[in-house]
Amino acid sequence: MDFDVIVVGGGPAGATAAEDLARSGHRVALLDRAGRIKPCGGAVPPRLIKDFDIPDEQIVARISTARMISPTGQQVDIPIENGYVGMVDREHFDEFLRQRAADAGATRLTGTFMRISRDEHGTRLWYRPRGSEAAEPIATKLIIGADGARSDVARAEVPGGDTIPYVIAYHEIIAAPEGGTVGYDPMRCDVIYDGRISPDFYGWVFPHGAQASVGMGSGVKGVDLKQATAALRESSGLTECETIRREGAPIPLQPLKRWDNGRDVVLAGDAAGVVAPSSGEGIYYAMIGGRFAAMAASACLASGRAADLKLARRFFMKEHKMVFRVLRVMQDTWYRSDDRRERFVTLCRDIDVQRLTFEAYMNKKLVRARPMAHLRIMAKNIGHLTRLIPAS
């Protein structure tokens, strides 16, 4: 076998890159380890559903309200105007994307990435097929590393790929309570800002139709993620619900400064660090990152210039750098203590904050058309940070 591009990792980033390349007429292989499901709340914005042509059957719930919960139990419900937040089950959603790539012409390979070698004959990717003890080589021109936050491809090939900061996310997929449970709403996502659940991030209860995702994330060493999730389930009245599966994985905190090795490798998705700060949202950014990686690979194949691999990061950051910067400031400002978290939830009562936040989320860009609203929000931010405004 020999290919134009081998994509390592079959999550949203890798599957999207493989599909786009296959539809462009390239010989592409999608290498994935079967059976792994990433812990994920599963939220996808309308722009993703539209841009990537996601069918209705993949949307297992349509969320109309987001509830923010503070350390003291203050609750702020934010209606999602003019739309909804879609929820997907990663177990089925990722496989749908992989199969769609195969239907477009990509060759699916099941196994584990081992290493990359190069000689006078070109580049070879070595992988161990599932069920085999021996590694096998595949000839290729380019490689897209989309193999997660602790990417083996990034660590081996891209400068700085071994230093990406991350938090550990853990969640439990449970059977949604039948007949309703006090505190649980199948049309509402709950986000819990409480240091007893997570000292530096947040916890969540996200409906998935017949199931729900309950979890949290933290970058603080020594935090018992399972115990924190158990406490979250208890406070949400979900302790008695059947536990279907448990999953944990690292979630990157910031994009890498470089996504390619200047030769034949480019990164996408978590491997490139593209998870939004503050929210932890990653599916949309993974898929658009996979699309940009495919565009960069196509350009490189056409021109023969390895420098074209840099286009993946350039395109992504041109469109999303400011959003990531603003969300990074939000996280660093408001997640640092329970007092700040309390004030942040209070701030979320503001109608300007609600509208601008969800307009930005739904459309994946900052809203610039309301300058007075931005000024009012800035004034309220300063008021909370200086304690001139009460926390509740």
Side-chain angles (χ1 to χ4, degrees):
M1 295 185 292
D2 67 297
F3 296 94
D4 295 322
V5 184
I6 298 175
V7 181
V8 181
T16 299
E19 180 189 357
D20 283 4
L21 286 164
R23 292 193 185 282
S24 297
H26 297 295
R27 296 168 300 161
V28 57
L30 177 60
L31 173 62
D32 186 60
R33 294 182 298 170
R36 180 182 179 276
I37 308 169
K38 179 185 174 183
C40 177
V44 295
R47 181 173 175 183
L48 181 151
I49 296 170
K50 178 182 177 181
D51 288 358
F52 295 95
D53 194 25
I54 304 303
D56 287 346
E57 58 265 24
Q58 288 298 321
I59 308 301
V60 296
R62 288 170 169 77
I63 301 304
S64 59
T65 305
R67 172 171 287 182
M68 309 300 179
I69 304 174
S70 77
T72 65
Q74 176 189 181
Q75 299 179 353
V76 176
D77 286 359
I78 304 177
I80 300 169
E81 299 178 351
N82 304 317
Y84 64 90
V85 175
M87 306 300 295
V88 298
D89 185 333
R90 291 291 297 272
E91 179 181 11
H92 304 295
F93 182 69
D94 289 17
E95 177 57 25
F96 161 77
L97 296 176
R98 289 189 288 267
Q99 187 55 49
R100 190 162 71 172
D103 292 342
T107 298
R108 291 185 64 172
L109 301 174
T110 303
T112 303
F113 167 81
M114 302 300 292
R115 61 188 176 90
I116 297 169
S117 67
R118 301 171 182 89
D119 57 28
E120 66 274 14
H121 301 295
T123 300
R124 285 176 174 76
L125 181 145
W126 294 75
Y127 84 108
R128 187 175 67 245
R130 187 179 186 183
S132 174
E133 295 297 324
E136 298 180 5
I138 316 172
T140 186
K141 297 175 182 176
L142 299 175
I143 295 160
I144 294 178
D147 51 334
R150 290 173 175 166
S151 166
D152 290 330
V153 175
R155 286 186 293 189
E157 295 290 334
V158 177
D162 58 345
T163 60
I164 186 168
Y166 57 83
V167 300
I168 299 296
Y170 172 82
H171 79 160
E172 296 176 359
I173 295 293
I174 65 172
E178 297 180 3
T181 294
V182 175
Y184 179 83
D185 184 338
M187 298 291 289
R188 187 189 70 224
C189 283
D190 292 354
V191 184
I192 299 89
Y193 298 100
D194 187 338
R196 292 167 295 185
I197 300 300
S198 173
D200 58 328
F201 209 53
Y202 63 81
W204 68 81
V205 178
F206 286 0
H208 285 184
Q211 301 175 352
S213 166
V214 184
M216 51 77 68
S218 178
V220 177
K221 292 183 178 180
V223 172
D224 190 330
L225 281 72
K226 293 183 178 180
Q227 181 56 45
T229 302
L232 178 54
R233 286 182 63 170
E234 181 177 4
S235 65
S236 302
L238 302 172
T239 300
E240 301 303 319
C241 294
E242 176 191 0
T243 301
I244 297 171
R245 64 180 189 264
R246 299 177 173 89
E247 297 151 356
I251 306 296
L253 291 178
Q254 64 186 38
L256 290 175
K257 294 182 178 180
R258 183 168 177 176
W259 292 6
D260 70 284
N261 68 348
R263 184 173 185 176
D264 53 11
V265 173
V266 64
L267 305 177
D270 282 11
V274 292
V275 172
S278 178
S279 69
E281 181 191 0
I283 300 177
Y284 171 79
Y285 295 111
M287 293 180 73
I288 197 64
R291 176 151 290 173
F292 286 150
M295 291 169 60
S298 290
C300 178
L301 290 169
S303 69
R305 297 190 299 265
D308 284 345
L309 295 176
K310 297 183 184 299
L311 293 172
R313 189 180 190 279
R314 189 178 305 164
F315 289 154
F316 185 96
M317 299 305 287
K318 181 179 180 180
E319 186 167 345
H320 300 292
K321 178 174 67 175
M322 187 57 66
V323 171
F324 272 55
R325 183 175 296 171
V326 169
L327 291 176
R328 178 80 263 168
V329 171
M330 282 180 57
Q331 181 171 335
D332 291 345
T333 300
W334 297 113
Y335 290 10
R336 60 196 305 176
S337 70
D338 272 356
D339 176 70
R340 290 284 181 91
R341 295 185 188 96
E342 193 73 38
R343 293 177 178 276
F344 174 68
V345 173
T346 299
L347 189 62
C348 288
R349 292 187 182 279
D350 186 273
I351 192 65
D352 290 324
V353 171
Q354 294 181 11
R355 287 177 176 171
L356 292 179
T357 297
F358 274 97
E359 284 181 26
Y361 172 80
M362 307 279 263
N363 299 302
K364 287 291 162 265
K365 59 184 178 181
L366 295 178
V367 180
R368 303 180 185 276
R370 299 182 182 176
M372 292 308 298
H374 284 285
L375 289 174
R376 289 193 295 269
I377 291 172
M378 182 183 298
K380 289 169 185 175
N381 271 280
I382 294 172
H384 278 285
L385 292 173
T386 59
R387 297 174 177 267
L388 294 175
I389 299 176
S392 61

